[in-house]
Amino acid sequence: MLMKPSYLIPLAVLALAFPAVALAATGGGGEEPGDAVGEARPTADGLEVLGRPVERLQSAVDLVAEQIEAKRLAEQRRRKRQAREERERFARLPGGVTIETLAAIAECESGGDPTIVSAGGTYRGKYQFSFSTWETVGGSGDPAAAPEAEQDYRAALLYARSGSGPWPVCG
């Protein structure tokens, strides 16, 4: 299980802060500069500079970046899987209706855009379903918000039941 990135930043800050606090409180820890395994080094102006904490901070930042990328890729895979499952769920068109017939209707009705809504808001989606017609073919919610594969399937159901009548201009 990956840690949430919000936990890593405070840890990195603590890793950076505590050696500095310890050095400041003890006046350098009573050791010669550079004695503590890369912890502190003298500079030209006599101030001590922390070495390892910067490296630890960079490691923490790199880890956060890797976790964010892993999460993004997992979400992308989830969306692709969900889209594939939706396509498979509605892959078989009922009533012998061909996808070519539906494509012609959709192109005429909406330009093939599954999210389009008519100016008055009455007709929605790729096949310009009204809410009541959408519900008669088993749809629920807003047709324009439904996956495209479901819109194709529901249009095929309607076409199998009523022919081209529901699309008097485009059918």
Side-chain angles (χ1 to χ4, degrees):
M1 183 171 152
L2 297 175
M3 285 180 70
K4 290 186 178 181
S6 61
Y7 293 118
L8 293 177
I9 300 301
L11 291 176
V13 171
L14 289 174
L16 183 61
F18 278 119
V21 171
L23 285 173
T26 63
E31 301 165 356
E32 291 296 316
D35 282 353
V37 191
E39 288 288 323
R41 294 187 289 262
T43 62
D45 62 4
L47 297 176
E48 293 186 3
V49 179
L50 300 175
R52 297 252 171 147
V54 172
E55 294 168 8
R56 282 183 265 172
L57 178 60
Q58 184 60 51
S59 294
V61 168
D62 291 344
L63 181 60
V64 169
E66 288 172 16
Q67 290 174 342
I68 290 170
E69 180 64 9
K71 187 175 181 179
R72 186 190 68 77
L73 290 173
E75 178 63 19
Q76 184 179 33
R77 284 190 302 271
R78 185 192 67 75
R79 285 186 186 149
K80 283 182 180 179
R81 184 180 63 250
Q82 187 178 23
R84 184 182 64 248
E85 288 169 358
E86 283 292 324
R87 282 191 306 272
E88 290 170 1
R89 181 175 164 206
F90 298 108
R92 292 192 191 105
L93 297 176
V97 180
T98 66
I99 196 67
E100 291 78 20
T101 298
L102 294 177
I105 293 170
E107 185 60 36
C108 177
E109 288 288 335
S110 66
D113 183 351
T115 63
I116 200 162
V117 176
S118 67
T122 303
Y123 302 105
R124 311 175 75 78
K126 189 173 177 180
Y127 299 95
Q128 294 294 280
F129 283 102
S130 66
F131 281 106
S132 60
T133 302
W134 178 249
E135 289 170 3
T136 67
V137 290
S140 64
D142 184 353
E148 187 172 7
E150 181 177 1
Q151 291 184 44
D152 293 339
Y153 180 81
R154 306 258 176 243
L157 285 173
L158 183 60
Y159 194 93
R161 180 191 314 157
S162 307
S164 62
W167 301 280
V169 174
C170 298

